[in-house]
Amino acid sequence: MKNLLLISTMIIALSCTTQRQNDLLNDQTIKESFDTTQINDLVKIQSFFDKSIGLTENDKQENMGKVYNDFFLQNSNIKKVSDLKLSINLNDQKALYNQLDKNTFNDIWEISWSKKGYSTDTLKHIQLNRQGKYVELLKTIGKQNTVISNYYNSLEIAGDISPSMFADLIKNYKNYDIKDPKIRLIIAIHYLTLNDQFERKEKY
């Protein structure tokens, strides 16, 4: 009887842990916006970002708040965009892209071009795809969340991650509820997009 009780307790605990780790899979808004393949890809994106900022699967629940808070604090006093510290390896990030279904990538990002500084080279530039499912997700979440509504509206006006969007997440990070898996996904995609924009130096 004791063994049966112990096994039952372990199964319940394991089930709860697995569910918490894959909470994007269980979010109704996410399920209404993306198909199963894409949701699994979103989990990969979230896991990659979590690992990049120092969160592991073993301590994901216990230390999530501290790890995210430490990440936010290291950038909370920066004065300009170029001071942002991410420490995300771009080659690893590109490897992540290769693990994603093409439709998932295209529903989040698009590759365009830009010229940086005084360079005459035309370089590849990643940005959020305003016609994709992800931006539609932002719009949907924004109907219930003022913070994300402002984020979405700024994106629609600027066409890319704007200085106001950048500054808001830096200075007002406490307004972004990391207990909500959708908000953590938005944070992950926000910073992965910025990291790609900062680090990519490929001719278009």
Side-chain angles (χ1 to χ4, degrees):
M1 184 69 178
K2 287 183 179 180
N3 288 339
L4 182 61
L5 182 60
L6 178 61
I7 292 171
S8 298
T9 302
M10 289 175 64
I11 291 173
I12 292 171
L14 179 61
S15 175
C16 291
T17 300
T18 302
Q19 182 173 354
R20 287 196 301 267
Q21 289 177 343
N22 297 315
D23 44 12
L24 280 174
L25 296 172
N26 303 304
D27 187 278
Q28 192 59 37
T29 304
I30 295 289
K31 289 165 72 174
E32 290 172 358
S33 302
F34 296 92
D35 63 35
T36 302
T37 297
Q38 291 179 315
I39 295 172
N40 284 321
D41 283 343
L42 297 180
V43 171
K44 292 176 187 176
I45 292 170
Q46 184 68 69
S47 297
F48 175 82
F49 180 74
D50 285 347
K51 183 179 179 181
S52 295
I53 66 172
L55 194 61
T56 67
E57 288 297 325
N58 292 333
D59 64 9
K60 187 169 185 178
Q61 296 305 311
E62 293 77 4
N63 294 335
M64 183 176 70
K66 181 181 184 306
V67 171
Y68 267 79
N69 194 60
D70 289 346
F71 169 74
F72 291 136
L73 284 175
Q74 74 176 349
N75 289 300
S76 61
N77 293 317
I78 66 174
K79 302 300 181 183
K80 53 184 183 293
V81 175
S82 59
D83 292 335
L84 183 68
K85 297 176 183 177
L86 292 177
S87 301
I88 300 172
N89 184 287
L90 183 61
N91 288 330
D92 291 343
Q93 189 169 330
K94 288 180 179 179
L96 167 68
Y97 296 155
N98 290 331
Q99 296 173 31
L100 306 178
D101 184 88
K102 183 178 179 181
N103 290 329
T104 305
F105 182 92
N106 292 337
D107 268 319
I108 300 172
W109 293 292
E110 60 181 355
I111 301 291
S112 61
W113 60 272
S114 68
K115 291 187 177 181
K116 297 183 180 180
Y118 296 102
S119 173
T120 58
D121 291 332
T122 301
L123 303 177
K124 287 185 178 180
H125 176 84
I126 196 171
Q127 61 189 39
L128 298 178
N129 179 3
R130 291 167 61 201
Q131 308 304 317
K133 289 183 181 180
Y134 174 69
V135 169
E136 191 62 31
L137 175 69
L138 292 177
K139 182 179 180 180
T140 299
I141 297 172
K143 293 176 180 177
Q144 303 295 327
N145 185 310
T146 303
V147 172
I148 303 305
S149 177
N150 291 336
Y151 185 96
Y152 167 78
N153 289 333
S154 294
L155 176 63
E156 283 295 285
I157 293 169
D160 201 350
I161 294 179
S162 67
S164 63
M165 295 163 69
F166 175 87
D168 190 61
L169 231 169
I170 291 291
K171 300 300 181 185
N172 302 314
Y173 62 87
K174 291 182 180 179
N175 294 336
Y176 291 77
D177 181 12
I178 64 168
K179 293 178 182 178
D180 185 334
K182 296 185 296 298
I183 303 300
R184 290 201 307 279
L185 177 67
I186 291 169
I187 293 168
I189 291 176
H190 175 90
Y191 281 112
L192 289 176
T193 304
L194 288 175
N195 188 63
D196 194 311
Q197 291 179 353
F198 294 163
E199 300 298 328
R200 188 187 290 260
K201 303 291 189 297
E202 296 175 17
K203 289 187 178 181
Y204 184 71

